[in-house]
């Protein structure tokens, strides 16, 4: 009876205090419904301990005779000091913390020149003025994760901020730098109080379990670290990550800029982030930007080569063990949605715990907090919340809020099946896009003019500068999920020509503020790479070349009353080089088709029209 009363009093005390829980006088993390809760004892920023240090790496990339050291800052609850509490770590690394280069004229590459020819306009190289004060590198993530019982750490990438080394934009040191930090958190690497001293710092306040997250470049680095297979990196949540610099700056052999940054290339990004030690910048510029990048990136052909292969994380995933929760927007035309999909698909093949969250908006946008919380709770705190048994794909439907995704068994939708559509003549006005493969359609020709936008091409009722083919008006909604693939046979009257393909929803709604209206997906390719991505050959005028390539992945419900339109044109004003107008591109309709991923397959497509 006395024991029962004591238990009742303890339970009453727990309920009164809510998430504040004691174990032998300690404040410890609390979990409800499989999620770490905000704990009052961890929630006052005035009680947090903040300090910085330098972690020694295994590389030397700035021309001196010392191994490079990475600048790291730590934010942790007071209890890690006063109560010897050990907690897991949420870690973000970035090249942006200490500032970026100013936007000056000619920082981007000039794009107004012929294909295969070098521009005569020199590019500017602005210097970064380093910002920030010790010991805080960044305040991102601390408000979300420290009150929930985590330590948050930040590190500047090599050659940025107070981190030593050279920025390489996807080079090996960008993977090895966060690896060294994770190693230090697990007692396998050295930490020091200064960038050049020998006073050691130890991470006695952590369990050694680490989760990485971040957006864009900051989302790339968790994948880079995970590909090393470093022990202790248990889970990553990359948000809109760039997983291949080739896919970011090229497309199927074509020099293609990321959306919103016409003329950007990998050396531009190098200049943009190079905020490291001013005395080492000349060396880095000479070795990395003006040698490795200059001769590796190849803006003349756009071909895939060893330089780009070494900056493609899909090629490096063999040793990856971290549980992967990815996030991306289907309408991200900066870091396009293929970047996450390709890593997600490979992680599934390797049997890694994997989920993907796709929303319908543009660049950035994390999964809902409950998804991230469950992920880190399971893999960093070790709470058996069953998150690994949840649905694998979470898609925000067109009119839903981002925090209300619809779960699916996988991405693409497991019920999606390929449906092939064929082009019927009339494309300079509006040709048909049908299931019937009519023979003897012959050819249709367009004339390149980069000054005309893709939107204008799609809206035009008649044009010599594009070809347009549409399905019948949909009588029922049609759900597309996955990657559309085009097979196309083309010829040109010049040795080189851009090839741009948009799949759109018509009629084009110019006044719509919904990002899901109008553009379904799009893609670009270089016909010179019709046989090989790594070796291009000049086109013989008048000769036809057949190539197949995928458009960007999507998951979208096309509304009844709309038509699916296929727009084929040459130069894309927003993305490609701008050669002088006038090049003719001819399409052999009999050898051209497009395969779309329809949920429900051919039966669903037939019912929709």
């Amino acid at each position: 009876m006395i024991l029962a009363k004591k238990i009742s009093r303890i339970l009453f005390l727990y309920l009164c205090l809510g998430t504040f829980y004691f174990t032998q006088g300690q404040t410890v993390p609390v979990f409800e419904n499989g999620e770490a809760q905000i704990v009052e004892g961890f929630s006052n920023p005035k009680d947090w301990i903040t300090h910085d240090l330098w972690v020694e790496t295994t590389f030397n990339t700035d021309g001196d005779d010392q191994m490079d050291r990475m600048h790291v800052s730590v934010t942790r609850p007071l209890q890690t000091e006063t109560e010897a509490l050990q907690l897991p770590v949420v870690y973000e690394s970035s090249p942006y913390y200490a500032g970026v280069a100013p936007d000056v004229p000619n920082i981007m590459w000039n794009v107004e020149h012929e294909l295969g020819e070098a521009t005569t306009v020199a590019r500017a190289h602005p210097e970064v003025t380093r910002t920030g004060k010790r010991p805080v590198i960044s305040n991102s993530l601390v408000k979300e994760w420290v009150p929930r019982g985590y330590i948050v750490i930040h590190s500047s990438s090599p050659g940025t901020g107070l981190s030593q080394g050279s920025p390489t934009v996807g080079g090996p040191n960008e993977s090895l730098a966060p690896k060294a930090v994770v190693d230090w958190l697990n007692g396998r690497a050295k930490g020091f109080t200064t960038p050049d001293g020998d006073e050691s710092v130890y991470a006695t306040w952590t369990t050694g379990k680490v989760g990485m997250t971040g957006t864009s470049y900051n989302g790339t680095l968790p994948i880079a670290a995970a590909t090393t297979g470093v022990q202790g990196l248990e889970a990553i949540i990359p948000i809109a990550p760039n997983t291949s610099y080739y896919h970011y700056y090229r497309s199927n052999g074509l020099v293609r800029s990321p959306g919103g940054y016409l003329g950007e290339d990998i050396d531009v990004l190098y200049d943009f982030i190079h905020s490291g030690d001013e005395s080492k910048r000349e060396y880095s510029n000479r070795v990395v930007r003006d040698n490795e990048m200059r001769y590796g990136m190849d803006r003349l052909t756009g071909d895939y080569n060893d330089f780009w292969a070494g900056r493609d994380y899909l090629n490096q995933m063999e040793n990856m063990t971290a549980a992967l929760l990815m996030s991306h927007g289907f309408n991200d035309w900066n870091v396009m949605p293929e970047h996450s999909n390709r890593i997600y698909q490979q992680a599934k093949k390797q049997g890694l715990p994997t989920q993907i969250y796709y929303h319908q908006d543009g660049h950035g946008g994390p999964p809902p907090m409950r998804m991230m919380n469950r992920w880190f709770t399971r893999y960093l705190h070790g709470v058996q919340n069953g998150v690994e048994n949840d649905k694998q794909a979470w898609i925000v439907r067109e009119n839903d809020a981002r925090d209300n995704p619809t779960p699916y068994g996988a991405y693409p939708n497991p019920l999606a099946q390929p449906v092939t559509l064929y082009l019927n003549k009339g494309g300079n006005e509006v040709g048909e896009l049908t299931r019937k493969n009519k023979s003897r359609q012959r050819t249709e020709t367009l004339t390149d003019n980069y000054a005309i936008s893709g939107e204008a091409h799609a809206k035009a009722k008649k044009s010599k500068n594009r070809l347009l083919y549409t399905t019948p008006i949909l009588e029922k909604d049609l759900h597309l999920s996955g990657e559309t693939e085009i097979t196309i046979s083309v010829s040109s009257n010049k040795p080189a020509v851009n090839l741009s393909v948009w799949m759109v929803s018509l009629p084009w709604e110019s006044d719509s503020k919904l990002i899901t209206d109008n553009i379904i997906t799009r893609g670009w390719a270089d016909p010179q790479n019709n046989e090989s991505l790594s070796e291009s050959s000049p086109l013989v005028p008048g000769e036809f070349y057949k190539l197949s390539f995928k458009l960007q992945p999507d998951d979208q419900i096309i509304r009844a009353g709309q038509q699916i339109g296929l727009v084929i044109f040459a130069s894309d004003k927003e993305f490609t080089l701008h050669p002088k107008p006038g090049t003719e591109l001819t399409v052999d309709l009999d050898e051209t088709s497009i395969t779309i991923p329809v949920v429900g397959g051919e039966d669903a497509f037939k019912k929709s029209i």
Side-chain angles (χ1 to χ4, degrees):
M1 187 69 173
I2 295 175
L3 180 61
K5 287 183 178 180
K6 286 184 177 180
I7 293 173
S8 296
R9 290 183 66 184
I10 292 172
L11 289 173
F12 177 76
L13 178 62
Y14 172 76
L15 291 172
C16 289
L17 293 173
T19 59
F20 205 4
Y21 183 71
F22 297 91
T23 299
Q24 297 180 345
Q26 281 191 328
T27 307
V28 297
V30 173
F31 308 96
E32 293 179 6
N33 300 318
E35 298 180 39
Q37 302 297 301
I38 293 175
V39 176
E40 183 180 344
F42 299 148
S43 297
N44 188 351
K46 294 181 180 179
D47 293 335
W48 296 345
I49 298 170
T50 301
H51 56 100
D52 64 344
L53 64 138
W54 279 260
V55 170
E56 188 170 273
T57 69
T58 56
F59 55 83
N60 173 20
T61 58
D62 55 11
D64 58 19
D65 58 356
Q66 302 293 324
M67 293 298 179
D68 298 338
R69 294 183 180 183
M70 298 300 106
H71 187 214
V72 178
S73 69
V74 180
T75 303
R76 52 189 174 97
L78 177 65
Q79 292 82 358
T80 59
E81 194 75 21
T82 60
E83 301 174 12
L85 180 64
Q86 291 184 320
L87 295 172
V89 169
V90 174
Y91 172 27
E92 182 183 58
S93 186
S94 175
Y96 297 136
Y97 294 140
V100 295
D103 186 6
V104 300
N106 296 324
I107 187 175
M108 302 292 189
W109 283 91
N110 171 47
V111 299
E112 296 189 6
H113 58 85
E114 295 304 305
L115 306 185
E117 296 182 6
T119 177
T120 58
V121 179
R123 195 175 71 73
H125 301 290
E127 290 283 323
V128 181
T129 300
R130 186 165 62 252
T131 61
K133 295 181 179 180
R134 295 181 57 197
V136 176
I137 293 178
S138 172
N139 286 312
S140 67
L141 305 176
V142 294
K143 292 181 180 179
E144 294 84 0
W145 296 108
V146 175
R148 288 180 165 87
Y150 294 89
I151 296 161
V152 172
I153 69 170
H154 300 88
S155 71
S156 293
S157 298
T160 71
L162 298 179
S163 285
Q164 298 171 347
S166 296
T168 58
V169 192
N173 66 343
E174 288 195 355
S175 299
L176 295 174
K179 176 187 182 296
V181 175
V182 176
D183 279 335
W184 172 72
L185 290 167
N186 284 274
R188 297 186 299 266
K190 296 178 181 180
F192 299 95
T193 57
T194 62
D196 52 8
D198 57 5
E199 182 180 349
S200 296
V201 181
Y202 301 95
T204 58
W205 27 258
T206 179
T207 62
K209 292 185 178 296
V210 182
M212 291 187 70
T213 189
T215 298
S216 197
Y217 208 139
N218 303 5
T220 299
L221 297 175
I223 297 174
T227 60
T228 68
V230 60
Q231 293 181 5
L233 182 56
E234 305 294 333
I236 59 174
I237 306 178
I239 302 163
N242 177 349
T243 64
S244 164
Y245 284 92
Y246 184 83
H247 286 76
Y248 190 58
Y249 291 118
R250 306 289 183 267
S251 186
N252 300 297
L254 199 68
V255 175
R256 191 260 304 142
S257 302
Y261 301 93
L262 189 64
E264 184 182 326
D265 213 321
I266 194 167
D267 61 333
V268 177
L269 184 53
Y270 168 94
D271 283 339
F272 191 68
I273 65 173
H274 194 186
S275 60
D277 184 347
E278 290 83 354
S279 69
K280 301 292 182 66
R281 291 185 188 182
E282 186 279 331
Y283 174 87
S284 298
N285 292 343
R286 174 167 47 83
V287 173
V288 179
R289 185 191 67 197
D290 300 336
N291 185 47
E292 182 183 3
M293 289 183 174
R294 177 185 178 186
Y295 296 107
M297 64 186 191
D298 184 10
R299 284 185 64 83
L300 294 181
T301 71
D303 291 350
Y304 191 71
N305 55 28
D306 290 343
F307 172 84
W308 295 114
R311 287 167 167 78
D312 187 337
Y313 294 109
L314 186 64
N315 299 335
Q316 304 169 31
M317 285 184 63
E318 182 180 0
N319 295 323
M320 181 170 162
T321 60
L324 173 68
L325 168 58
M326 303 206 75
S327 178
H328 221 113
F330 281 124
N331 288 284
D332 185 347
W333 299 109
N334 175 9
V335 182
M336 299 187 191
E338 66 177 343
H339 283 271
S340 284
N341 184 51
R342 58 206 300 273
I343 300 298
Y344 160 73
Q345 299 297 342
Q346 181 60 31
K348 283 199 303 181
K349 290 179 182 179
Q350 293 181 199
L352 299 177
T354 306
Q355 287 184 18
I356 193 163
Y357 166 85
Y358 267 123
H359 57 79
Q360 301 290 342
D361 295 316
H363 189 53
M369 184 63 189
R370 67 178 183 273
M371 288 186 68
M372 296 190 291
N373 196 344
R374 281 172 58 79
W375 203 252
F376 281 161
T377 295
R378 169 67 180 85
Y379 295 107
L380 302 190
H381 279 292
V383 175
Q384 299 294 324
N385 57 15
V387 70
E388 66 271 24
N389 300 318
D390 290 351
K391 295 289 188 180
Q392 216 179 69
W394 299 77
I395 310 296
V396 178
R397 294 268 49 101
E398 287 71 8
N399 296 309
D400 291 345
R402 280 193 189 180
D403 62 356
N404 186 32
T406 299
Y408 296 93
Y411 179 80
N413 190 306
L415 299 179
Q417 298 176 8
V419 174
T420 300
L421 305 177
Y422 300 93
L423 286 57
N424 294 333
K425 60 185 178 182
N428 289 123
E429 294 182 4
V430 182
E432 293 180 338
L433 195 60
T434 71
R435 286 284 298 118
K436 295 182 180 179
N437 184 10
K438 297 181 181 180
S439 60
R440 303 178 69 180
Q441 294 293 306
R442 299 185 180 178
T443 64
E444 294 192 321
T445 299
L446 64 93
T447 302
D448 184 24
N449 187 344
Y450 74 82
I452 303 174
S453 69
E455 176 181 346
H457 284 314
K459 291 165 64 175
K461 294 181 179 180
K462 182 178 181 180
S463 175
K464 68 177 183 178
N465 304 112
R466 62 93 177 114
L467 301 176
L468 172 62
Y469 307 89
T470 66
T471 66
I473 296 174
L474 301 182
E475 296 181 2
K476 294 183 179 181
D477 291 352
L478 187 66
H479 187 177
L480 304 180
S481 180
E483 294 173 304
T484 291
E485 184 170 9
I486 187 169
T487 296
I488 187 168
S489 179
V490 296
S491 71
S492 172
N493 66 342
K494 290 187 178 180
V497 63
N498 290 318
L499 175 59
S500 304
V501 176
W502 286 22
M503 192 161 77
V504 298
S505 179
L506 298 174
W508 191 280
E509 299 182 22
S510 299
D511 297 329
S512 176
K513 295 182 179 179
L514 295 176
I515 198 169
T516 51
D517 287 339
N518 303 321
I519 297 174
I520 300 173
T521 183
R522 45 191 172 184
W524 305 263
D526 185 350
Q528 292 185 107
N529 292 90
N530 58 86
E531 292 187 352
S532 170
L533 195 60
S534 58
E535 187 174 350
S536 56
S537 300
L539 306 177
V540 177
E543 185 173 323
F544 280 87
Y545 300 86
K546 196 169 187 177
L547 62 157
S548 297
F549 59 95
K550 293 179 179 179
L551 310 188
Q552 290 298 314
D554 193 28
D555 193 298
Q556 189 172 342
I557 296 173
I558 313 303
R559 302 189 307 272
Q562 298 290 106
Q563 293 174 282
I564 295 175
L566 177 67
V567 188
I568 301 172
F569 55 110
S571 298
D572 191 321
K573 183 178 181 180
E574 300 175 63
F575 294 94
T576 69
L577 298 178
H578 293 173
K580 184 178 179 181
T583 301
E584 291 184 350
L585 179 68
T586 301
V587 177
D588 183 345
L589 302 186
D590 293 328
E591 296 295 325
T592 299
S593 62
I594 188 165
T595 300
I596 61 176
V598 177
V599 176
E602 292 193 14
D603 186 57
F605 183 80
K606 290 176 182 177
K607 290 179 179 178
S608 72
I609 59 173

